[in-house]
Amino acid sequence: MTEKQTQVITINDKEYTQDQLTDQQKAMINHVADLDRKIRSAQFNLDQLTVGRDAFMQMLNASLQENEE
């Protein structure tokens, strides 16, 4: 016998099961989850870009100092 697990989602400290939500609410939850994933991905990319920019600025400053010597 297979037991069906009921997924519980917490929104604003209140728990809901799938059967308590409308199809529109489920779609909005999916949009929020996807947007959260995209925000995390964008933050990851921004971190990489910032570190890369800082590295190039350090190389540029080192190169300029060499030219002054």
Side-chain angles (χ1 to χ4, degrees):
M1 183 189 257
T2 306
E3 229 180 273
K4 186 177 178 184
Q5 276 191 316
T6 303
Q7 185 179 1
V8 177
I9 184 165
T10 304
I11 303 169
N12 298 327
D13 297 324
K14 187 171 179 187
E15 291 185 345
Y16 300 90
T17 58
Q18 290 281 352
D19 59 335
Q20 292 175 300
L21 302 170
T22 66
D23 288 343
Q24 184 181 25
Q25 290 167 333
K26 291 175 191 176
M28 286 185 270
I29 289 168
N30 289 334
H31 282 293
V32 170
D34 186 50
L35 289 165
D36 284 343
R37 181 191 59 77
K38 289 177 180 178
I39 289 167
R40 286 190 303 274
S41 178
Q43 184 60 57
F44 181 81
N45 290 334
L46 180 59
D47 291 345
Q48 285 183 329
L49 292 167
T50 301
V51 169
R53 183 192 182 284
D54 291 346
F56 279 109
M57 282 302 299
Q58 289 175 4
M59 290 187 298
L60 176 59
N61 287 329
S63 176
L64 292 171
Q65 285 178 354
E66 286 175 8
N67 286 347
E68 290 175 3
E69 294 174 357

